[in-house]
PDB file of all heavy atoms in Angstrom:
ATOM      1  N   LEU A  80       8.704  -5.092  -2.439  1.00  0.00           N
ATOM      2  CA  LEU A  80       8.820  -6.597  -2.507  1.00  0.00           C
ATOM      3  C   LEU A  80       8.381  -7.226  -1.228  1.00  0.00           C
ATOM      4  O   LEU A  80       7.715  -8.311  -1.214  1.00  0.00           O
ATOM      5  CB  LEU A  80      10.194  -6.936  -2.929  1.00  0.00           C
ATOM      6  CG  LEU A  80      10.691  -6.408  -4.328  1.00  0.00           C
ATOM      7  CD1 LEU A  80      12.165  -6.807  -4.567  1.00  0.00           C
ATOM      8  CD2 LEU A  80       9.797  -6.976  -5.388  1.00  0.00           C
ATOM      9  N   LEU A  83       4.645  -7.324  -0.917  1.00  0.00           N
ATOM     10  CA  LEU A  83       4.081  -8.376  -1.847  1.00  0.00           C
ATOM     11  C   LEU A  83       4.267  -9.782  -1.213  1.00  0.00           C
ATOM     12  O   LEU A  83       3.352 -10.577  -1.272  1.00  0.00           O
ATOM     13  CB  LEU A  83       4.650  -8.276  -3.245  1.00  0.00           C
ATOM     14  CG  LEU A  83       4.215  -7.035  -4.040  1.00  0.00           C
ATOM     15  CD1 LEU A  83       5.060  -6.847  -5.246  1.00  0.00           C
ATOM     16  CD2 LEU A  83       2.729  -7.160  -4.404  1.00  0.00           C
ATOM     17  N   VAL A  89       4.784 -15.055  -4.358  1.00  0.00           N
ATOM     18  CA  VAL A  89       5.974 -15.880  -4.328  1.00  0.00           C
ATOM     19  C   VAL A  89       6.863 -15.328  -5.443  1.00  0.00           C
ATOM     20  O   VAL A  89       6.492 -15.243  -6.597  1.00  0.00           O
ATOM     21  CB  VAL A  89       5.635 -17.355  -4.548  1.00  0.00           C
ATOM     22  CG1 VAL A  89       6.917 -18.191  -4.607  1.00  0.00           C
ATOM     23  CG2 VAL A  89       4.732 -17.824  -3.457  1.00  0.00           C
ATOM     24  N   GLU A  90       8.199 -15.143  -5.076  1.00  0.00           N
ATOM     25  CA  GLU A  90       9.143 -14.660  -6.086  1.00  0.00           C
ATOM     26  C   GLU A  90       9.445 -15.815  -7.038  1.00  0.00           C
ATOM     27  O   GLU A  90       9.785 -16.925  -6.660  1.00  0.00           O
ATOM     28  CB  GLU A  90      10.430 -14.196  -5.404  1.00  0.00           C
ATOM     29  CG  GLU A  90      11.416 -13.618  -6.387  1.00  0.00           C
ATOM     30  CD  GLU A  90      12.649 -13.004  -5.734  1.00  0.00           C
ATOM     31  OE1 GLU A  90      12.524 -12.235  -4.779  1.00  0.00           O
ATOM     32  OE2 GLU A  90      13.773 -13.405  -6.240  1.00  0.00           O
ATOM     33  N   ILE A  91       9.343 -15.515  -8.341  1.00  0.00           N
ATOM     34  CA  ILE A  91       9.684 -16.458  -9.381  1.00  0.00           C
ATOM     35  C   ILE A  91      11.044 -16.305  -9.844  1.00  0.00           C
ATOM     36  O   ILE A  91      11.746 -17.258 -10.164  1.00  0.00           O
ATOM     37  CB  ILE A  91       8.652 -16.288 -10.523  1.00  0.00           C
ATOM     38  CG1 ILE A  91       7.268 -16.594 -10.110  1.00  0.00           C
ATOM     39  CG2 ILE A  91       9.045 -17.221 -11.757  1.00  0.00           C
ATOM     40  CD1 ILE A  91       6.210 -16.174 -11.158  1.00  0.00           C
ATOM     41  N   GLY A  92      11.517 -15.064  -9.901  1.00  0.00           N
ATOM     42  CA  GLY A  92      12.876 -14.760 -10.371  1.00  0.00           C
ATOM     43  C   GLY A  92      13.155 -13.318 -10.225  1.00  0.00           C
ATOM     44  O   GLY A  92      12.277 -12.425 -10.080  1.00  0.00           O
ATOM     45  N   SER A  93      14.489 -12.959 -10.238  1.00  0.00           N
ATOM     46  CA  SER A  93      14.895 -11.600 -10.070  1.00  0.00           C
ATOM     47  C   SER A  93      16.213 -11.344 -10.809  1.00  0.00           C
ATOM     48  O   SER A  93      17.019 -12.255 -10.844  1.00  0.00           O
ATOM     49  CB  SER A  93      15.062 -11.205  -8.617  1.00  0.00           C
ATOM     50  OG  SER A  93      15.264  -9.836  -8.447  1.00  0.00           O
ATOM     51  N   ARG A  94      16.341 -10.196 -11.449  1.00  0.00           N
ATOM     52  CA  ARG A  94      17.608  -9.772 -12.063  1.00  0.00           C
ATOM     53  C   ARG A  94      18.020  -8.427 -11.603  1.00  0.00           C
ATOM     54  O   ARG A  94      17.095  -7.494 -11.453  1.00  0.00           O
ATOM     55  CB  ARG A  94      17.447  -9.710 -13.605  1.00  0.00           C
ATOM     56  CG  ARG A  94      17.340 -11.120 -14.180  1.00  0.00           C
ATOM     57  CD  ARG A  94      17.400 -11.021 -15.747  1.00  0.00           C
ATOM     58  NE  ARG A  94      17.392 -12.302 -16.267  1.00  0.00           N
ATOM     59  CZ  ARG A  94      18.457 -12.928 -16.725  1.00  0.00           C
ATOM     60  NH1 ARG A  94      19.590 -12.406 -16.673  1.00  0.00           N
ATOM     61  NH2 ARG A  94      18.352 -14.150 -17.296  1.00  0.00           N
ATOM     62  N   GLY A  95      19.228  -8.209 -11.450  1.00  0.00           N
ATOM     63  CA  GLY A  95      19.718  -6.922 -10.960  1.00  0.00           C
ATOM     64  C   GLY A  95      19.764  -6.806  -9.476  1.00  0.00           C
ATOM     65  O   GLY A  95      19.286  -7.623  -8.729  1.00  0.00           O
ATOM     66  N   GLY A 100      17.286  -0.730 -12.330  1.00  0.00           N
ATOM     67  CA  GLY A 100      17.325  -1.875 -13.146  1.00  0.00           C
ATOM     68  C   GLY A 100      16.998  -3.206 -12.501  1.00  0.00           C
ATOM     69  O   GLY A 100      16.940  -4.223 -13.163  1.00  0.00           O
ATOM     70  N   THR A 101      16.642  -3.235 -11.212  1.00  0.00           N
ATOM     71  CA  THR A 101      16.258  -4.485 -10.652  1.00  0.00           C
ATOM     72  C   THR A 101      14.808  -4.821 -11.114  1.00  0.00           C
ATOM     73  O   THR A 101      13.946  -4.051 -11.069  1.00  0.00           O
ATOM     74  CB  THR A 101      16.245  -4.372  -9.060  1.00  0.00           C
ATOM     75  OG1 THR A 101      17.601  -4.152  -8.630  1.00  0.00           O
ATOM     76  CG2 THR A 101      15.757  -5.667  -8.425  1.00  0.00           C
ATOM     77  N   VAL A 102      14.673  -6.067 -11.593  1.00  0.00           N
ATOM     78  CA  VAL A 102      13.375  -6.559 -12.114  1.00  0.00           C
ATOM     79  C   VAL A 102      13.058  -7.848 -11.407  1.00  0.00           C
ATOM     80  O   VAL A 102      13.866  -8.742 -11.394  1.00  0.00           O
ATOM     81  CB  VAL A 102      13.391  -6.820 -13.650  1.00  0.00           C
ATOM     82  CG1 VAL A 102      12.086  -7.403 -14.120  1.00  0.00           C
ATOM     83  CG2 VAL A 102      13.793  -5.499 -14.370  1.00  0.00           C
ATOM     84  N   THR A 103      11.936  -7.919 -10.718  1.00  0.00           N
ATOM     85  CA  THR A 103      11.553  -9.084  -9.944  1.00  0.00           C
ATOM     86  C   THR A 103      10.163  -9.519 -10.417  1.00  0.00           C
ATOM     87  O   THR A 103       9.226  -8.734 -10.494  1.00  0.00           O
ATOM     88  CB  THR A 103      11.501  -8.799  -8.454  1.00  0.00           C
ATOM     89  OG1 THR A 103      12.797  -8.281  -8.118  1.00  0.00           O
ATOM     90  CG2 THR A 103      11.214 -10.048  -7.647  1.00  0.00           C
ATOM     91  N   SER A 104      10.007 -10.809 -10.691  1.00  0.00           N
ATOM     92  CA  SER A 104       8.706 -11.438 -11.084  1.00  0.00           C
ATOM     93  C   SER A 104       8.179 -12.185  -9.919  1.00  0.00           C
ATOM     94  O   SER A 104       8.911 -12.947  -9.285  1.00  0.00           O
ATOM     95  CB  SER A 104       8.869 -12.308 -12.276  1.00  0.00           C
ATOM     96  OG  SER A 104       9.302 -11.617 -13.452  1.00  0.00           O
ATOM     97  N   LEU A 105       6.825 -11.957  -9.593  1.00  0.00           N
ATOM     98  CA  LEU A 105       6.201 -12.635  -8.498  1.00  0.00           C
ATOM     99  C   LEU A 105       4.863 -13.160  -8.987  1.00  0.00           C
ATOM    100  O   LEU A 105       4.223 -12.647  -9.866  1.00  0.00           O
ATOM    101  CB  LEU A 105       6.004 -11.678  -7.346  1.00  0.00           C
ATOM    102  CG  LEU A 105       7.257 -11.015  -6.826  1.00  0.00           C
ATOM    103  CD1 LEU A 105       7.341  -9.566  -7.227  1.00  0.00           C
ATOM    104  CD2 LEU A 105       7.254 -11.096  -5.314  1.00  0.00           C
ATOM    105  N   SER A 106       4.394 -14.247  -8.284  1.00  0.00           N
ATOM    106  CA  SER A 106       3.155 -14.848  -8.584  1.00  0.00           C
ATOM    107  C   SER A 106       2.237 -14.877  -7.388  1.00  0.00           C
ATOM    108  O   SER A 106       2.759 -15.198  -6.281  1.00  0.00           O
ATOM    109  CB  SER A 106       3.333 -16.283  -9.068  1.00  0.00           C
ATOM    110  OG  SER A 106       2.139 -16.940  -9.274  1.00  0.00           O
ATOM    111  N   ALA A 111      -0.186 -12.095 -11.335  1.00  0.00           N
ATOM    112  CA  ALA A 111       1.279 -12.158 -11.395  1.00  0.00           C
ATOM    113  C   ALA A 111       1.710 -10.675 -11.611  1.00  0.00           C
ATOM    114  O   ALA A 111       0.973  -9.825 -12.201  1.00  0.00           O
ATOM    115  CB  ALA A 111       1.658 -12.978 -12.641  1.00  0.00           C
ATOM    116  N   VAL A 112       2.857 -10.377 -11.088  1.00  0.00           N
ATOM    117  CA  VAL A 112       3.287  -8.969 -11.181  1.00  0.00           C
ATOM    118  C   VAL A 112       4.851  -8.975 -11.400  1.00  0.00           C
ATOM    119  O   VAL A 112       5.568  -9.808 -10.890  1.00  0.00           O
ATOM    120  CB  VAL A 112       2.933  -8.225  -9.894  1.00  0.00           C
ATOM    121  CG1 VAL A 112       3.617  -8.743  -8.693  1.00  0.00           C
ATOM    122  CG2 VAL A 112       3.259  -6.698 -10.051  1.00  0.00           C
ATOM    123  N   ARG A 113       5.273  -8.098 -12.269  1.00  0.00           N
ATOM    124  CA  ARG A 113       6.693  -7.818 -12.419  1.00  0.00           C
ATOM    125  C   ARG A 113       6.888  -6.415 -11.855  1.00  0.00           C
ATOM    126  O   ARG A 113       6.208  -5.468 -12.147  1.00  0.00           O
ATOM    127  CB  ARG A 113       6.986  -7.796 -13.926  1.00  0.00           C
ATOM    128  CG  ARG A 113       8.447  -7.507 -14.106  1.00  0.00           C
ATOM    129  CD  ARG A 113       8.897  -7.772 -15.647  1.00  0.00           C
ATOM    130  NE  ARG A 113       8.799  -9.229 -15.756  1.00  0.00           N
ATOM    131  CZ  ARG A 113       8.888  -9.781 -16.932  1.00  0.00           C
ATOM    132  NH1 ARG A 113       9.068  -9.148 -18.016  1.00  0.00           N
ATOM    133  NH2 ARG A 113       8.918 -11.101 -16.988  1.00  0.00           N
ATOM    134  N   VAL A 114       7.916  -6.358 -10.900  1.00  0.00           N
ATOM    135  CA  VAL A 114       8.273  -5.065 -10.266  1.00  0.00           C
ATOM    136  C   VAL A 114       9.637  -4.627 -10.705  1.00  0.00           C
ATOM    137  O   VAL A 114      10.623  -5.389 -10.728  1.00  0.00           O
ATOM    138  CB  VAL A 114       8.228  -5.337  -8.733  1.00  0.00           C
ATOM    139  CG1 VAL A 114       8.653  -4.036  -7.977  1.00  0.00           C
ATOM    140  CG2 VAL A 114       6.890  -5.843  -8.280  1.00  0.00           C
ATOM    141  N   VAL A 115       9.684  -3.335 -11.144  1.00  0.00           N
ATOM    142  CA  VAL A 115      10.885  -2.797 -11.676  1.00  0.00           C
ATOM    143  C   VAL A 115      11.346  -1.589 -10.858  1.00  0.00           C
ATOM    144  O   VAL A 115      10.489  -0.664 -10.627  1.00  0.00           O
ATOM    145  CB  VAL A 115      10.726  -2.369 -13.156  1.00  0.00           C
ATOM    146  CG1 VAL A 115      12.054  -1.787 -13.783  1.00  0.00           C
ATOM    147  CG2 VAL A 115      10.226  -3.528 -13.980  1.00  0.00           C
ATOM    148  N   PHE A 116      12.584  -1.577 -10.392  1.00  0.00           N
ATOM    149  CA  PHE A 116      13.090  -0.404  -9.689  1.00  0.00           C
ATOM    150  C   PHE A 116      13.861   0.519 -10.670  1.00  0.00           C
ATOM    151  O   PHE A 116      14.515   0.053 -11.573  1.00  0.00           O
ATOM    152  CB  PHE A 116      14.149  -0.818  -8.630  1.00  0.00           C
ATOM    153  CG  PHE A 116      13.601  -1.677  -7.525  1.00  0.00           C
ATOM    154  CD1 PHE A 116      14.482  -2.255  -6.627  1.00  0.00           C
ATOM    155  CD2 PHE A 116      12.236  -1.792  -7.289  1.00  0.00           C
ATOM    156  CE1 PHE A 116      14.044  -2.995  -5.544  1.00  0.00           C
ATOM    157  CE2 PHE A 116      11.801  -2.627  -6.230  1.00  0.00           C
ATOM    158  CZ  PHE A 116      12.714  -3.172  -5.318  1.00  0.00           C
ATOM    159  N   THR A 127       7.873   0.397 -10.497  1.00  0.00           N
ATOM    160  CA  THR A 127       6.744   0.156 -11.527  1.00  0.00           C
ATOM    161  C   THR A 127       6.244  -1.264 -11.358  1.00  0.00           C
ATOM    162  O   THR A 127       7.081  -2.235 -11.255  1.00  0.00           O
ATOM    163  CB  THR A 127       7.335   0.347 -12.909  1.00  0.00           C
ATOM    164  OG1 THR A 127       7.782   1.731 -13.077  1.00  0.00           O
ATOM    165  CG2 THR A 127       6.292   0.024 -13.983  1.00  0.00           C
ATOM    166  N   TYR A 128       4.994  -1.376 -11.314  1.00  0.00           N
ATOM    167  CA  TYR A 128       4.284  -2.680 -11.285  1.00  0.00           C
ATOM    168  C   TYR A 128       3.635  -2.946 -12.609  1.00  0.00           C
ATOM    169  O   TYR A 128       2.918  -2.077 -13.141  1.00  0.00           O
ATOM    170  CB  TYR A 128       3.089  -2.650 -10.189  1.00  0.00           C
ATOM    171  CG  TYR A 128       3.565  -2.371  -8.798  1.00  0.00           C
ATOM    172  CD1 TYR A 128       3.826  -1.063  -8.376  1.00  0.00           C
ATOM    173  CD2 TYR A 128       3.684  -3.355  -7.854  1.00  0.00           C
ATOM    174  CE1 TYR A 128       4.244  -0.738  -7.083  1.00  0.00           C
ATOM    175  CE2 TYR A 128       4.080  -3.146  -6.518  1.00  0.00           C
ATOM    176  CZ  TYR A 128       4.301  -1.847  -6.141  1.00  0.00           C
ATOM    177  OH  TYR A 128       4.680  -1.616  -4.805  1.00  0.00           O
ATOM    178  N   LEU A 129       3.848  -4.164 -13.143  1.00  0.00           N
ATOM    179  CA  LEU A 129       3.180  -4.532 -14.306  1.00  0.00           C
ATOM    180  C   LEU A 129       2.395  -5.796 -13.909  1.00  0.00           C
ATOM    181  O   LEU A 129       2.964  -6.863 -13.580  1.00  0.00           O
ATOM    182  CB  LEU A 129       4.165  -4.957 -15.462  1.00  0.00           C
ATOM    183  CG  LEU A 129       3.560  -5.492 -16.696  1.00  0.00           C
ATOM    184  CD1 LEU A 129       2.580  -4.492 -17.352  1.00  0.00           C
ATOM    185  CD2 LEU A 129       4.601  -5.923 -17.695  1.00  0.00           C
TER     186      LEU A 129
END
Side-chain angles (χ1 to χ4, degrees):
L80 298 176
L83 288 167
V89 177
E90 185 176 312
I91 298 168
S93 187
R94 288 190 177 258
T101 298
V102 178
T103 305
S104 297
L105 303 105
S106 176
V112 62
R113 180 167 290 172
V114 178
V115 180
F116 295 170
T127 299
Y128 298 81
L129 176 62

